[in-house]
Amino acid sequence: MKITDVLTPTMTRCDLPGASKKRVLENLSSFITEQLGGDAEQSDGLFQKLVARERLGRTGIGEGVAIPHCRAPGFNRNHGCLIKPQKPADFHPPDHTPG
């Protein structure tokens, strides 16, 4: 598998709105499902799964980087998304630098 099989140019976004972790995850879910032709129900399901995954353990890895991830209904293969939020959001990384 190549990275281009998972992460495509349409799945990248700079200045995604949201200043909190919850808002970033919500907007990320909407962005992903829009790009994949999904609907509001699928977006909400993805958001709920991302939030549930964050409750299991932080996805912030440090130096302003976080890797939120989950399995969600309606997604039958791996998808990647690269975003940069408009404002740093705190994903609780080990170095305490908002991601």
Side-chain angles (χ1 to χ4, degrees), residues 3-94:
I3 187 74
T4 54
D5 294 334
V6 178
L7 181 61
T8 62
T10 59
M11 293 292 277
T12 61
R13 170 103 188 254
C14 194
D15 295 329
L16 185 80
S20 69
K21 175 170 52 173
K22 182 177 178 182
R23 196 64 57 217
V24 168
L25 292 176
E26 184 176 47
N27 292 330
L28 173 63
S29 299
S30 294
F31 174 71
I32 289 170
T33 52
E34 285 172 17
Q35 297 307 308
L36 298 175
D39 58 23
E41 185 177 330
Q42 192 174 17
S43 177
D44 186 55
L46 177 58
F47 172 66
Q48 296 302 325
K49 291 292 187 173
L50 286 168
V51 169
R53 172 58 186 87
E54 284 294 321
R55 287 188 191 120
L56 291 176
R58 61 185 177 209
T59 60
I61 61 171
E63 297 193 29
V65 177
I67 306 176
H69 58 284
C70 68
R71 291 181 184 205
F75 296 89
N76 54 10
R77 69 176 194 83
N78 292 332
H79 295 281
C81 184
L82 177 64
I83 63 136
K84 179 193 164 292
Q86 283 177 340
K87 298 179 181 178
D90 192 358
F91 278 79
H92 307 290

